[in-house]
Amino acid sequence: MATDSWVNETLYAEWGQRFLVGRELARVKSDFQDIMVFESPSHGRVMLLDGVVQITERDEFVYQEMLTHVPLLAHGEAKRVLIIGAGDGGVLKRVLQHRNVEKAVMVEIDGEVIRLAKEHMPMIAGDAWNDPRAEVIVGDGIDYVRTAPAGSFDVVIVDSTDPIGVGEVLFTEEFYHNAARLLSERGLIVNQCGVPFMQAEELRDTNKRRAKSFSDTWAYVAAVPTYVGGFMTLGWAAKDATLRSHDAATIKARAEKAGILGQTRYWTPEIHVGAFNLPPYIAENL
Ligand code: SAM
């Protein structure tokens, strides 16, 4: 009798989730990480990098919507967006849903992630790869921000792995110093900043580093089922503190104008506003 095969997430040595593997679709050791894509009965297609859940077909909409729509609608007039990481194309797709976006540059270090996402998880990005406003660069985000011209972007979205291995440079003071330089005067940057119930230091330490280059730093939350441990935090750093204090009516009007109202399954104007109200166990790290 065929035994069930399970894959255990390796993010935490002492705790974790496991997925029943219906069918393994790809297992590739790239120059940067071990990439696995498989079909799971519970979550659809799943991508792991070095044994850590990156994206599942079933719940990716939660953080892709929150990582994208919150900064773009908080800014209100974002035309040029820089995406770092996000090799699955999910953030790129949602950035391009915004009518007022004229240019979306995506810098992903591992071309194999893009290739495997296109092949095995095409539903994530849809046809965003072919959008004339999109420019996809295979490269290190730290190098890109070092040389990008000052004031060349309105929003930066960092959808990276955790600060281990290749992702580590994206959580440094140097990275945020260059992000501040390449952002326009009302610019802001958000990042995937871990699950504070288990990774509080990721939020605490990165917040200290961002604060050296940005006058307003905070975080907002999203409940992503497969980022185990409760709320996931999205790190926030802006040059204008008013960007995170709009009311739901303002955000709703902007979403209507941008063409995304009614197109989402997690984000709403009320969730947008509420996400910045942090439980004390999270706020104490800021
Ligand atoms: N949403 C996921 C999460 O919250 O963990 C991340 C998804 S996305 C697949 C993460 C991407 O960041 C990976 O494809 C990885 O290759 C990319 N990445 C890591 N370090 C990078 C760097 N220094 N420059 C550009 N991309 C990087």
Side-chain angles (χ1 to χ4, degrees), residues 63-253:
Y63 74 80
Q64 314 268 26
E65 289 177 11
M66 291 302 281
L67 202 48
T68 303
H69 299 326
V70 171
L72 264 63
L73 296 173
H75 183 284
E77 297 162 335
K79 292 184 171 54
R80 303 157 302 162
V81 180
L82 173 59
I83 304 164
I84 306 284
D88 48 70
V91 170
L92 181 64
K93 178 174 93 174
R94 285 169 179 80
V95 165
L96 294 170
Q97 282 173 340
H98 289 249
R99 285 193 195 109
N100 42 307
V101 167
E102 294 169 1
K103 179 84 179 163
V105 175
M106 180 182 129
V107 182
E108 159 60 57
I109 198 166
D110 194 341
E112 282 297 85
V113 172
I114 296 173
R115 179 180 71 82
L116 293 167
K118 284 181 177 176
E119 184 178 349
H120 297 295
M121 302 183 83
M123 71 301 281
I124 302 298
D127 61 2
W129 305 111
N130 309 314
D131 190 305
R133 296 171 292 167
E135 179 186 358
V136 178
I137 297 167
V138 177
D140 192 332
I142 191 79
D143 297 334
Y144 187 87
V145 298
R146 277 189 189 125
T147 55
S152 52
F153 288 97
D154 303 309
V155 173
V156 178
I157 297 172
V158 184
D159 182 19
S160 75
T161 43
D162 286 319
I164 29 184
V166 284
E168 198 164 358
V169 289
L170 304 180
F171 292 79
T172 60
E173 273 182 43
E174 179 199 357
F175 179 80
Y176 280 95
H177 170 75
N178 278 308
R181 183 186 55 74
L182 65 81
L183 278 165
S184 47
E185 67 203 71
R186 291 179 59 250
L188 71 154
I189 177 170
V190 297
N191 85 309
Q192 181 288 109
C193 212
V195 172
F197 184 74
M198 295 296 288
Q199 301 168 303
E201 74 292 340
E202 183 171 322
L203 178 63
R204 191 169 49 247
D205 298 347
T206 314
N207 195 60
K208 284 191 192 115
R209 294 184 205 121
R210 303 188 239 272
K212 299 199 171 172
S213 300
F214 288 88
S215 55
D216 181 51
T217 59
W218 194 242
Y220 61 102
V221 291
V224 186
T226 52
Y227 293 175
V228 294
F231 276 134
M232 163 195 199
T233 44
L234 295 315
W236 170 278
K239 297 182 177 180
D240 172 353
T242 65
L243 294 189
R244 61 184 165 96
S245 54
H246 298 301
D247 62 22
T250 304
I251 295 297
K252 183 175 180 183

Side-chain angles (χ1 to χ4, degrees), residues 33-51:
Q33 49 216 336
D34 181 343
I35 309 168
M36 180 180 179
V37 184
F38 63 93
E39 218 152 58
S40 89
S42 54
H43 288 74
R45 297 197 168 184
V46 180
M47 178 186 283
L48 303 184
L49 295 181
D50 289 339

